Amino acid sequence: MAAQSYEQPYEPVRRAPARRGPAGPPPATAATGMPPEPGTRVSGRREGRRRSEQETMISQAPRRARGRGSGGDGGPSGPGGPGEPPGKSGGDKPAWRRFLPSWKIVLAGFAVVTAGVFGMIAVAYANMPMPSEDQVQDSVDDMGSVIYYANGKDVLAKLGTKRVPVEINQIPRHVQDAVIAAENSSFREDSGISFSGMVRSVFSTVSGAQVQGASTITQQMARNYYDGLSQERTVERKIKEIFVAVKLNKQLSKDQILRQYLNTIYFGRGAYGIGAAAKEFFGSKTSVAKLTPEQGAYLAGRIQNPDAFDRAEIAGNMKPTEGRYAYVIGQMAKLDPKAYGSLPSKSPTSPKRVKVNNRDYYKGLTGYMVEAVTNELKNKYGITEEDVKTGGYRITSTFDKNLMLAAKEAVNKHTAGLTGEINATLAAVDPRNGRIIAFYGGDDYEKDSWDDAFLSQKQAASAFKPYVLAAWLDSGYSLRSYLPAKGPIKLEGTTPIDNDHASSSSSIDVVNATANSVNTAFAKMGEKVSLDKVIEIASRAGISKERLEDARNRHHYLITIGSGQVTAVEQAGGYSIFANAGRHYDNHVIIEVKDRNNRVKYREKKTYTQVIAPDAAADATVALQAVVKQGTGRNAALYDRPVAGKTGTNNQNKEAWFVGFTPQLSTAVGMFRQECRTKPTGGKVVQPVNDTCPWWRGKNPAKEKKYTPQKPYTSPYEVPLGNAFQGATYPAAIWKSFMTEAMKGQKVEQFPARVDTGVSENLAPKPVPTPTATKGPDEEQPDDVSCVMDPCDDDSGRIITIDPNENDGFEEDNGLLGGGQDPGMPPYEYEQPETMPTGREQW
């Protein structure tokens, strides 16, 4: 069928001269460049060739759109026409390929991008600073502190980070190999990074899947040792870590890297570093040098996920542990077949470990001792609790472990069966150096953190009178002086002071006044020497001067008979001036502090304060011995050695004391009673919980909605102990039980002899002696006419009067001194109680 004619619009273009072929000149249409006339027939092949040649030679000529079914420029047989397959143009490549860049362009582009990436990496690497010593993490060398008992060997407590730094030469080769086999088998040869591990880790991070460790030992060390590399699992952190690892690998030796790594990595059970891990898992006596290959493999396996292994082992699930251990010894066998090839068959199961020691050092008595030590570290040496937990200190305390237990046993023995409202406290101080060797502030710090020995401030009552006696003797007055025995006496600014006992004599000497705790005598002694002198002596002996001055301002001369407040620790230390020739060492609980390098940083103070003259101390001790030999403190006498001391009981028996000493030890025992009341008057009385008034109502504080620790349900109020409680009874019995134990095996030492220093200063007329018949020459005469306890010129030897709040103790203790409820103690029939001035700590 003849081809259909078609018209094309005229489209002027620039053409190159047509190439002549062997067939002669081109058609006229080619010469003219004009479109063919309508109806003119042109050969399809020739026109197609011509069109092809035109397209080859046309420059910048826009191509005509080729619609489906149209003949194109060449007619039906032209490009896109029926003579060619769709998408073809006279044997050309498929049309879609015209849109793809040349392979040369692709290769060039890839080269440019690659160069750019590597350039950026090079710049980033060059700009990444090398970590310096200033960038070492603050916690990288954190090292917990150890507190020892006074012997310097027995551990009292371990606080803070468990870390024992070691040098690389202390770590056996098989332990090093175990860690390398488990974590980074190519460690000794690689450049600080593992490309396979790096790719895997980055891919996991980018994809959002769980990040696999895949970090080399160098990378882990960099992350754990230096600042600037967080623990976040991000691509940015990973890249920084890689750069730092490469630089560290160039700057540090492999041994340096491994040492830092093994001293910082966490192994579980709170142990940081291989040194601490060895002790934590295999015993306190196990050093790194003693670790076996099997033990090294076990510890190396834990590095992967120590917390998970801890939880599994505590739950009794050993499968993860054994699986990881098997993996590590297998890797060790591959790392060095000659050295470790037999491990999998020789030791298929992990080595035996010691039990987990998650001891809470704030439980029981230990908590009170730890608090006393940390308080002194902060207040005296400026070492905070945080410093203690990270500074690696070695602290030797003053505490005797056995005597701490003896103090607790003595208190509990004599208070068993009594109401929980009654509290007892004890403190023992070595007068020769001021060391607090034992105390009792409570049974369990975790349940009741209020330490009665250090914190409870109670009226000293008659146990304060020895400081008045010391002031008297230090002022130059003697034991032979006579004092008023009858009352009442009226002193400036003070309510009348009386003894409430009839007296057959108007005066009494100082020794008997002390032995029998005569109020009027000590009030007049205080007036004579001045209250300033009394406060000076007591404060230099360790009693709070602020509290003493407050007592004087409020009570005036009542301070001489014990209106001021003291603690058991203060009283034990205060009486040391009598036991140690007038000297006072500051009370303290720390003997020595060493730093992490075992260098002594602080030592206990060796200097003392000479509070009173040695002669005055000797004579005061004579009077205080009389208290135990013939006066109110006879229940405290020890069978094998001399004892001196003083009882103390205040009005209404609210506080009761016995403070006594031997030449080697001064001990104070105090008792008081507090009620937990919902209101000061007319309220409900609630029993204390662990010696503390409950702030909540009911049994479960977690369910309390109305009351809070700041607005408690109950508050403490001090009330009388009861008729059975005086310094001569329960306190003296507790003191004797403790001191009997404390003096076991101790040398029996005597007190100094009476000096009779000073001059007689009679504040009351000397009594006239009763005439007695003269003995015949054949009657026995005493060898020492001067007598030790009573003055030579007091022939009567009579006890003139006594403090009505003191007595000689029970004629029969009826079991009360060994514990038991006082049958004569009426419940809540006392006068309105006062709010305690220094209450026990609230919950």
Side-chain angles (χ1 to χ4, degrees):
M1 181 175 69
Q4 297 180 359
S5 63
Y6 64 92
E7 296 182 2
Q8 291 181 335
Y10 174 74
E11 183 176 356
V13 295
R14 293 182 60 189
R15 295 182 176 87
R19 187 174 53 184
R20 294 179 180 274
T29 56
T32 62
M34 302 296 294
E37 296 293 331
T40 305
R41 299 180 62 185
V42 182
S43 168
R45 173 178 293 184
R46 183 176 300 170
E47 182 63 22
R49 184 184 305 116
R50 185 183 302 116
R51 181 66 180 170
S52 177
E53 291 171 351
Q54 290 173 356
E55 288 180 349
T56 303
M57 289 182 282
I58 290 174
S59 173
Q60 303 297 326
R63 295 190 179 189
R64 189 189 308 276
R66 298 174 182 174
R68 182 178 179 183
S70 69
D73 290 344
S77 300
E84 294 289 345
K88 292 285 185 178
S89 177
D92 289 348
K93 297 178 180 179
W96 61 269
R97 295 188 64 181
R98 293 185 185 136
F99 295 98
L100 295 178
S102 165
W103 67 270
K104 295 180 180 179
I105 295 176
V106 172
L107 185 61
F110 178 77
V112 171
V113 172
T114 302
V117 171
F118 277 96
M120 288 188 292
I121 292 175
V123 171
Y125 175 80
N127 291 330
M128 177 63 67
M130 177 66 193
S132 65
E133 288 300 317
D134 293 336
Q135 292 176 288
V136 174
Q137 294 180 16
D138 292 337
S139 62
V140 76
D141 59 350
D142 281 358
M143 184 176 174
S145 298
V146 181
I147 303 174
Y148 297 93
Y149 284 101
N151 62 12
K153 298 178 181 179
D154 295 334
V155 174
L156 191 160
K158 295 179 180 180
L159 305 177
T161 305
K162 299 175 184 177
R163 194 193 306 275
V164 181
V166 293
E167 295 299 326
I168 193 66
N169 57 10
Q170 296 176 279
I171 306 173
R173 178 74 180 202
H174 54 257
V175 175
Q176 298 179 35
D177 287 346
V179 174
I180 291 171
E183 292 294 310
N184 180 193
S185 58
S186 63
F187 168 72
R188 297 195 186 277
E189 296 81 29
D190 64 33
S191 60
I193 59 174
S194 167
F195 286 102
S196 60
M198 179 181 65
V199 172
R200 183 171 66 252
S201 180
V202 172
F203 174 77
S204 298
T205 303
V206 173
S207 66
Q210 182 179 358
V211 176
Q212 301 177 25
S215 296
T216 64
I217 286 175
T218 309
Q219 288 174 266
Q220 293 181 58
M221 185 276 286
R223 182 169 65 245
N224 293 320
Y225 197 81
Y226 294 103
D227 277 330
L229 295 177
S230 68
Q231 298 294 329
E232 297 178 359
R233 294 179 172 181
T234 62
V235 173
E236 180 183 1
R237 191 272 295 169
K238 198 70 178 178
I239 292 173
K240 287 183 179 179
E241 180 184 294
I242 290 170
F243 289 165
V244 172
V246 172
K247 289 197 171 188
L248 287 174
N249 190 71
K250 291 181 178 180
Q251 178 170 315
L252 303 178
S253 68
K254 291 293 185 179
D255 279 352
Q256 287 176 305
I257 293 171
L258 191 59
R259 179 185 63 81
Q260 291 183 184
Y261 174 75
L262 287 175
N263 276 320
T264 56
I265 202 70
Y266 182 58
F267 286 88
R269 293 194 185 182
Y272 288 84
I274 192 72
K279 297 180 179 297
E280 190 65 29
F281 289 92
F282 301 109
S284 59
K285 296 183 179 180
T286 303
S287 64
V288 175
K290 295 180 180 180
L291 289 175
T292 65
E294 291 83 357
Q295 290 173 332
Y298 170 79
L299 293 177
R302 284 188 134 264
I303 296 173
Q304 182 192 53
N305 197 339
D307 288 332
F309 287 115
D310 279 348
R311 290 191 296 269
E313 291 181 4
I314 291 173
N317 179 13
M318 297 299 158
K319 186 175 180 180
T321 296
E322 295 302 329
R324 185 64 177 168
Y325 170 76
Y327 168 79
V328 176
I329 59 175
Q331 290 296 104
M332 291 175 69
K334 293 179 182 178
L335 183 71
D336 189 343
K338 183 177 180 181
Y340 313 119
S342 62
L343 271 181
S345 58
K346 174 186 173 184
S347 305
T349 57
S350 62
K352 183 178 180 181
R353 300 165 297 276
V354 298
K355 293 182 179 179
V356 180
N357 181 19
N358 290 329
R359 180 180 175 184
D360 184 351
Y361 289 105
Y362 284 92
K363 284 186 176 180
L365 295 179
T366 307
Y368 298 108
M369 289 185 278
V370 170
E371 182 186 54
V373 169
T374 54
N375 284 344
E376 186 165 305
L377 285 171
K378 180 180 179 180
N379 297 332
K380 184 178 288 188
Y381 304 118
I383 300 175
T384 66
E385 186 173 352
E386 184 62 28
D387 293 335
V388 173
K389 292 180 178 179
T390 60
Y393 295 103
R394 297 295 178 265
I395 305 152
T396 304
S397 74
T398 59
F399 304 128
D400 184 300
K401 183 177 181 179
N402 293 330
L403 294 187
M404 285 294 298
L405 294 173
K408 177 183 177 181
E409 291 170 3
V411 170
N412 290 339
K413 172 184 176 182
H414 294 286
T415 60
L418 298 178
T419 174
E421 296 171 347
I422 293 176
N423 297 271
T425 182
L426 180 152
V429 173
D430 188 333
R432 300 165 296 186
N433 48 41
R435 296 177 182 177
I436 302 171
I437 66 169
F439 66 93
Y440 176 80
D443 279 344
D444 190 343
Y445 181 88
E446 189 175 56
K447 296 178 180 178
D448 175 21
S449 61
W450 182 267
D451 188 340
D452 282 319
F454 286 85
L455 302 177
S456 289
Q457 301 167 11
K458 302 300 174 183
Q459 284 190 339
S462 293
F464 185 80
K465 291 174 181 174
Y467 303 113
V468 180
L469 171 63
W472 175 265
L473 294 169
D474 197 63
S475 297
Y477 305 126
S478 74
L479 293 177
R480 294 180 179 275
S481 303
Y482 279 82
L483 310 167
K486 288 185 176 183
I489 61 172
K490 185 71 172 71
L491 301 176
E492 183 181 356
T494 307
T495 57
I497 298 175
D498 201 353
N499 298 311
D500 287 335
H501 262 56
S503 173
S504 60
S505 178
S506 62
S507 62
I508 185 173
D509 69 86
V510 175
V511 173
N512 280 312
T514 303
N516 299 287
S517 198
V518 180
N519 289 338
T520 52
F522 280 87
K524 290 298 289 183
M525 290 165 69
E527 181 188 39
K528 178 64 179 178
V529 301
S530 82
L531 295 183
D532 284 341
K533 178 67 174 180
V534 173
I535 290 174
E536 177 195 354
I537 294 294
S539 62
R540 295 181 72 196
I543 308 300
S544 167
K545 188 172 185 178
E546 181 181 358
R547 279 186 260 118
L548 289 170
E549 291 179 341
D550 177 68
R552 174 182 60 185
N553 294 337
R554 291 191 294 118
H555 306 140
H556 303 287
Y557 285 95
L558 291 177
I559 191 177
T560 61
I561 58 174
S563 67
Q565 295 177 337
V566 295
T567 68
V569 168
E570 287 176 333
Q571 282 290 71
Y575 276 43
S576 67
I577 66 173
F578 308 116
N580 191 25
R583 304 185 188 100
H584 178 262
Y585 290 86
D586 290 341
N587 297 336
H588 60 281
V589 299
I590 296 174
I591 296 175
E592 185 178 76
V593 179
K594 291 183 178 180
D595 63 17
R596 66 175 65 226
N597 297 315
N598 208 37
R599 295 174 299 199
V600 176
K601 195 171 181 67
Y602 304 106
R603 279 199 176 99
E604 64 182 339
K605 186 179 177 182
K606 298 291 186 180
T607 58
Y608 58 84
T609 300
Q610 189 72 48
V611 180
I612 57 177
D615 288 351
D619 281 354
T621 301
V622 169
L624 294 173
Q625 286 183 79
V627 173
V628 179
K629 288 186 175 182
Q630 69 187 53
T632 59
R634 292 199 295 267
N635 283 332
L638 299 178
Y639 76 95
D640 64 340
R641 65 190 65 233
V643 170
K646 185 69 184 75
T647 55
T649 311
N650 68 353
N651 292 340
Q652 302 178 26
N653 293 16
K654 283 188 176 180
E655 281 95 21
W657 292 91
F658 183 79
V659 187
F661 56 94
T662 65
Q664 300 104 315
L665 192 61
S666 175
T667 299
V669 176
M671 297 186 75
F672 62 95
R673 180 176 183 172
Q674 65 178 15
E675 285 182 347
C676 301
R677 293 190 173 188
T678 56
K679 295 180 181 179
T681 58
K684 183 180 179 181
V685 176
V686 178
Q687 285 298 303
V689 177
N690 298 315
D691 288 341
T692 305
C693 289
W695 60 263
W696 65 93
R697 183 175 185 174
K699 296 182 178 180
N700 189 353
K703 296 182 179 180
E704 180 57 64
K705 297 180 180 180
K706 181 178 180 181
Y707 299 100
T708 66
Q710 291 73 35
K711 295 182 178 180
Y713 174 57
T714 66
S715 298
Y717 294 88
E718 189 168 353
V719 297
L721 285 160
N723 294 331
F725 292 87
Q726 296 177 341
T729 58
Y730 284 94
I734 293 172
W735 187 94
K736 182 174 182 177
S737 291
F738 171 77
M739 288 295 284
T740 298
E741 188 66 28
M743 291 293 102
K744 279 184 178 178
Q746 297 292 322
K747 179 183 177 182
V748 176
E749 295 185 11
Q750 302 297 325
F751 290 118
R754 178 171 176 166
V755 179
D756 257 335
T757 185
V759 297
S760 296
E761 179 68 15
N762 297 330
L763 303 182
K766 180 179 177 181
V768 178
T770 302
T772 56
T774 303
K775 294 183 179 182
D778 57 341
E779 295 183 80
E780 183 178 1
Q781 298 286 344
D783 294 332
D784 185 5
V785 180
S786 65
C787 63
V788 176
M789 293 303 170
D790 298 323
C792 296
D793 50 4
D794 182 10
D795 298 330
S796 64
R798 292 176 295 174
I799 296 176
I800 306 300
T801 184
I802 63 171
D803 181 343
N805 293 312
E806 303 289 357
N807 62 28
D808 298 337
F810 297 115
E811 294 182 4
E812 295 182 16
D813 66 18
N814 296 322
L816 292 178
L817 296 185
Q821 179 65 46
D822 175 11
M825 187 186 301
Y828 321 126
E829 294 180 0
Y830 314 116
E831 296 181 8
Q832 177 56 42
E834 299 177 1
T835 302
M836 294 175 63
T838 52
R840 295 170 63 83
E841 187 175 51
Q842 298 297 307
W843 283 65

